[in-house]
């Protein structure tokens, strides 16, 4: 029965995986094409894996099917426009374009290492005169992750910007991303506020740590390592604004244009008594002598250009408003005898005020001290608490013991494996491979080959031939008489 099973198993053809994780449409298309090519295939898994026989043809089949556009990847891209149909309406063209963009985005997102599959849905409202600026397209992305893979915040942000950059008028804020479990991956407005606050706090801590390290590194060269502690509190302004100023200089006047107009008029006029009589009767008594009149007009206009300067001031976010610095220095210690023989005690002596003042000036220079913004620097000399020697020894012994126990616990499985090999496996192998004494005797007695067997047979034949023929030493007649006597008795 076992021989039949083994022979049946050995006669089965071998299969190699051609494609895996196929959609139903792609799997159906690939199977149909394999049937046309008369290739042996087998469907595995949940119907999304196709294997072919023999395995050597896998790569050739992949190239052949790829040249025919199989598999399509479960989504339709811009190749949807490769074929055109008569009578296509504008609405159908828009729907095709939207499907093509969605398919191309799905393929691009699936190219990420952590993403196994993706689906993209885009809503693009119609542009009308009544919507105006309220026209805002939106998009939703569903990603199926591979195994235990996860998307980092930077990758999520990259997907949102990728989708937003592929659709006109779409902003990253209007792109929502979820995974196969329905978990929302894109941050909400509340989470964005928390992220912004966390970014501000981290930036503030980095500024404070930078100044503290700068001060401690500088002072450790003066008072020694471990004898200076600096703490900095930075007050930052995260508001950002822009200011535009226009300044005019009256002293910087320049004539831009000038216009001058001058008019002169002259003429004679007759005068007299007003009325009809003076006009009908030109009597010299009634008329005055003619008089000459002249008039003049002069106008000058000058336009001045006043110098103007326009400055645009941009105030970035995160600028330092004020710094508060506290520096603690250890002093010196003087050994004084306690009165007991051979015993002394240490007495703390703070640093001199002059030294503290010089250190304060150094600290101010290191942080860029600015009194106008209200910076504060405080330097004090106080005794540092010395570590307890017994406690330090106990901690060191505990650390050493823990280190040894860690090594032993890590080496215990290896030691057990070595002992198991030496005590159990090695004797067992030796017992199975070493022949017994009976097997050795049998091996000595049995010939090891046909030629040796023939030689032994020939030797035995020679020995039989060499044996001399012996004559019977007993008389037969006497033997019969003895047998007869015994029978009578």
């Amino acid at each position: 029965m076992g021989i039949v099973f083994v022979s049946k198993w050995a006669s089965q053809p071998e299969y190699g995986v051609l494609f895996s994780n196929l959609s139903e449409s792609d799997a159906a298309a690939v199977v149909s094409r394999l049937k046309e090519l008369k290739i042996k295939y087998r469907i595995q898994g949940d119907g999304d894996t196709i294997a072919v026989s023999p395995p050597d043809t896998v790569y050739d089949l992949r190239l052949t099917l790829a040249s025919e556009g199989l598999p399509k990847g479960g989504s339709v891209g811009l190749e949807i426009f490769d074929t055109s149909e008569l009578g296509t309406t504008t609405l159908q063209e828009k729907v095709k374009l939207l499907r093509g963009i969605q398919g191309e985005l799905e393929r691009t997102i699936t190219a990420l290492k952590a993403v196994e599959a993706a689906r993209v849905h885009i809503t693009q409202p119609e542009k009308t005169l009544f919507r105006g600026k309220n026209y805002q397209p939106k998009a939703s992305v569903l990603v199926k992750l591979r195994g235990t893979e996860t998307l980092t915040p930077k990758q999520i942000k990259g997907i949102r910007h990728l989708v937003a950059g592929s659709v006109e008028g779409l902003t990253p804020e209007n792109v929502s991303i979820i995974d196969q479990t329905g978990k929302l991956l894109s941050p909400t407005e509340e989470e964005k506020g928390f992220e912004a606050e966390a970014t501000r706090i981290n930036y503030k801590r980095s500024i404070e740590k930078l100044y503290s390290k700068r001060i401690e590194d500088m002072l450790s060269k003066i008072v020694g390592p471990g004898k200076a502690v600096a703490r900095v509190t930075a007050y930052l302004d995260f508001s950002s604004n822009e200011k535009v100023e226009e300044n005019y200089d009256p002293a910087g006047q320049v004539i831009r244009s000038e216009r001058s107009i001058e008019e002169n008029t002259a003429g004679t006029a007759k005068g007299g008594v007003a009325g009809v009589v003076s006009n009908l009767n030109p009597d010299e008594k009634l008329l005055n002598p003619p008089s000459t009149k002249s008039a003049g007009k002069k106008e000058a206009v000058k336009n001045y250009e006043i110098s103007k300067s326009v400055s645009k001031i941009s105030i970035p976010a995160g600028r330092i408003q004020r710094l508060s610095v506290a520096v603690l220095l250890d002093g010196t210690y003087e050994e004084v005898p306690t009165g007991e023989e051979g015993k002394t005690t240490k007495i703390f002596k703070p640093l001199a005020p002059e030294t503290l003042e010089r250190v304060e000036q150094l600290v101010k220079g290191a942080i860029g001290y600015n009194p106008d913004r209200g910076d504060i620097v405080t330097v004090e000399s106080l005794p540092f608490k010395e570590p307890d020697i017994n406690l330090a020894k106990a901690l060191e012994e505990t650390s050493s013991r823990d280190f040894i126990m860690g090594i032993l616990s890590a080496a215990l499985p290896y030691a057990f494996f070595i002992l198991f090999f030496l005590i159990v496996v090695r004797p067992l192998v030796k017992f199975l491979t070493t022949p017994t004494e009976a097997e050795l005797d049998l091996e000595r007695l049995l010939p090891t080959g046909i030629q040796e067997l023939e030689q032994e047979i020939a030797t035995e034949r020679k020995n039989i031939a060499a044996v001399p023929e012996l004559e019977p030493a007993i008389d037969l007649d006497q033997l019969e008489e003895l047998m007869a006597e015994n029978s009578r008795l």
Side-chain angles (χ1 to χ4, degrees):
M1 188 67 181
I3 297 174
V4 173
F5 176 77
V6 172
S7 61
K8 185 177 180 181
W9 173 78
S11 62
Q12 289 181 353
E14 296 182 0
Y15 287 87
V17 177
L18 180 63
F19 294 113
S20 60
N21 297 325
L22 293 174
S23 62
E24 294 181 358
S25 59
D26 286 340
V30 172
V31 169
S32 176
R33 185 55 180 158
L34 291 177
K35 289 180 179 179
E36 295 176 1
L37 297 174
K38 297 181 180 181
I39 302 295
K40 291 183 179 180
Y41 68 91
R42 184 171 61 186
I43 300 175
Q44 300 175 351
D46 297 333
D48 58 352
T49 303
I50 299 176
V52 295
S53 178
D56 298 338
T57 60
V58 168
Y59 300 104
D60 294 336
L61 285 174
R62 285 180 183 174
L63 294 175
T64 302
L65 295 176
S67 63
E68 299 176 3
L70 293 176
K72 296 181 179 180
S75 59
V76 180
L78 294 177
E79 68 272 7
I80 194 173
F81 290 100
D82 293 344
T83 58
S84 58
E85 299 178 358
L86 296 176
T88 305
T89 62
T90 305
L91 179 60
Q92 291 176 342
E93 291 292 335
K94 290 182 179 179
V95 172
K96 280 187 177 181
L97 178 61
L98 190 61
R99 287 184 60 194
I101 294 175
Q102 292 177 166
E104 294 295 334
L105 287 174
E106 290 170 3
R107 294 175 182 176
T108 306
I109 296 173
T110 309
L112 295 177
K113 181 181 179 181
V115 179
E116 181 178 344
R119 290 283 293 168
V120 178
H121 303 279
I122 301 174
T123 58
Q124 209 166 18
E126 290 290 336
K127 294 182 180 180
T128 62
L129 298 176
F130 300 101
R131 290 186 179 273
K133 296 182 179 179
N134 294 326
Y135 166 75
Q136 290 183 351
K138 296 182 180 180
S140 300
V141 180
L142 170 65
V143 292
K144 182 181 179 182
L145 303 178
R146 299 180 185 273
T148 58
E149 295 283 346
T150 57
L151 292 176
T152 62
K154 290 185 177 180
Q155 289 176 325
I156 295 172
K157 186 177 180 181
I159 293 175
R160 299 182 73 184
H161 281 269
L162 172 67
V163 176
S166 302
V167 181
E168 181 183 0
L170 181 60
T171 59
E173 290 76 15
N174 290 333
V175 179
S176 300
I177 304 175
I178 62 173
D179 60 5
Q180 68 269 27
T181 62
K183 180 182 177 182
L184 182 64
L185 302 180
S186 54
T188 60
E189 294 297 331
E190 184 178 358
E191 292 175 349
K192 289 180 182 178
F194 290 152
E195 290 180 359
E197 188 65 26
T199 303
R200 294 173 183 176
I201 293 174
N202 292 333
Y203 178 71
K204 181 176 181 294
R205 289 178 179 174
S206 63
I207 294 293
E208 295 173 347
K209 186 177 180 180
L210 175 63
Y211 280 113
S212 300
K213 187 176 184 304
R214 184 184 298 177
I215 295 171
E216 290 178 354
D217 291 345
M218 179 183 63
L219 296 181
S220 63
K221 307 294 183 181
I222 301 174
V223 297
K227 291 191 174 184
V229 178
R231 294 294 180 266
V232 178
T233 302
Y235 300 90
L236 307 178
D237 184 9
F238 290 98
S239 61
S240 60
N241 50 38
E242 293 183 357
K243 183 172 62 174
V244 179
E245 293 182 352
E246 293 185 3
N247 298 320
Y248 296 90
D249 186 10
Q253 296 180 1
V254 179
I255 297 177
R256 184 178 63 179
S257 62
E258 183 177 1
R259 185 180 64 177
S260 179
I261 301 175
E262 184 176 355
E263 295 179 356
N264 294 315
T265 59
T268 58
K270 295 181 178 182
V273 179
V276 179
V277 177
S278 61
N279 291 326
L280 295 177
N281 186 11
D283 189 357
E284 294 179 359
K285 294 180 179 179
L286 298 175
L287 298 175
N288 292 328
S291 60
T292 303
K293 294 182 177 181
S294 61
K297 180 182 179 182
K298 188 176 183 180
E299 180 181 354
V301 177
K302 291 183 180 181
N303 295 322
Y304 293 91
E305 186 71 31
I306 301 176
S307 62
K308 178 181 69 172
S309 62
V310 180
S311 59
K312 184 178 181 181
I313 302 173
S314 178
I315 302 176
R319 66 184 184 279
I320 298 176
Q321 285 185 327
R322 183 164 61 92
L323 291 177
S324 179
V325 183
V327 179
L328 183 62
L329 300 175
D330 194 9
T332 59
Y333 295 88
E334 182 180 357
E335 294 187 357
V336 178
T338 58
E340 298 181 6
E341 184 177 358
K343 293 185 178 181
T344 59
T345 183
K346 292 183 179 180
I347 298 177
F348 172 76
K349 288 187 177 182
L351 298 178
E354 295 81 5
T355 305
L356 297 179
E357 185 176 356
R358 295 177 63 183
V359 170
E360 182 178 349
Q361 295 298 326
L362 290 175
V363 173
K364 289 181 178 180
I367 65 171
Y369 177 79
N370 187 0
D372 296 335
R373 65 185 182 188
D375 293 349
I376 300 175
V377 177
T378 304
V379 181
E380 295 290 342
S381 178
L382 297 173
F384 284 16
K385 183 176 178 57
E386 296 182 358
D388 190 356
I389 300 177
N390 297 327
L391 179 61
K393 289 183 178 179
L395 292 175
E396 185 177 356
E397 292 177 357
T398 304
S399 177
S400 301
R401 185 167 58 253
D402 294 340
F403 178 72
I404 294 173
M405 292 300 295
I407 294 177
L408 291 178
S409 61
L412 184 61
Y414 299 98
F416 176 77
F417 177 77
I418 294 173
L419 292 175
F420 179 78
F421 179 79
L422 294 176
I423 298 173
V424 179
V425 178
R426 186 178 179 184
L428 181 61
V429 173
K430 186 176 181 181
F431 173 76
L432 296 176
T433 56
T434 303
T436 61
E437 295 181 359
E439 292 176 348
L440 292 175
D441 295 338
L442 183 62
E443 288 179 358
R444 296 191 192 100
L445 294 175
L446 294 175
T448 58
I450 298 176
Q451 294 180 356
E452 293 183 1
L453 180 61
E454 292 177 351
Q455 291 177 1
E456 290 183 3
I457 293 173
T459 303
E460 291 295 333
R461 288 177 178 176
K462 291 179 181 179
N463 293 334
I464 293 172
V467 174
E469 295 183 357
L470 299 176
E471 294 183 357
I474 300 175
D475 191 1
L476 296 177
D477 295 334
Q478 293 178 355
L479 181 60
E480 291 178 355
E481 291 179 356
L482 289 174
M483 292 178 62
E485 290 179 358
N486 291 332
S487 63
R488 285 195 297 270
L489 293 176

